[in-house]
Amino acid sequence: MAVINFDLPKERETYIHRIGRTGRAGNRGVATSFIDPRKEDDCKLAKELIKILEEVGQNVPEFLRELASF
């Protein structure tokens, strides 16, 4: 299954719920999200996603760190 987020939600819980749909019942999936660096809410969510990725030991892509610095 694939989930594509054209517009990011403002809350991280909503984002996590959306991407969680890719891995239901032990299945694998892919989530792709478009982030607009001109949108303050997108950059704020990028900062929160970095925290989550670091907490679970995932690799944080450099482009995400750059977006979070806007």
Side-chain angles (χ1 to χ4, degrees), residues 46 50 53-54 59-70:
I50 289 170
L53 290 170
E54 289 175 339
N59 181 39
V60 178
E62 189 58 37
F63 74 87
L64 189 59
R65 291 187 191 279
E66 290 174 14
L67 285 172
S69 67
F70 278 89

Side-chain angles (χ1 to χ4, degrees), residues 1-5 8-9 12-24 29-33 49 52-53:
M1 173 179 263
V3 172
I4 300 174
N5 289 297
L8 289 181
R12 76 176 180 180
E13 290 80 14
T14 303
Y15 177 79
I16 291 169
H17 176 74
R18 284 185 189 178
I19 65 170
R21 293 182 180 276
T22 64
R24 296 277 191 241
V30 175
T32 302
S33 301
L49 294 175
I52 294 168
L53 290 170

Side-chain angles (χ1 to χ4, degrees), residues 20-65:
R21 293 182 180 276
T22 64
R24 296 277 191 241
N27 294 318
R28 297 183 137 245
V30 175
T32 302
S33 301
F34 293 94
I35 299 175
D36 186 345
R38 298 170 296 179
K39 292 184 178 179
E40 185 178 331
D41 288 336
D42 283 11
C43 292
K44 180 181 173 189
L45 184 61
K47 291 175 188 176
E48 293 183 33
L49 294 175
I50 289 170
K51 290 178 192 174
I52 294 168
L53 290 170
E54 289 175 339
E55 286 174 8
V56 298
Q58 293 288 318
N59 181 39
V60 178
E62 189 58 37
F63 74 87
L64 189 59
R65 291 187 191 279

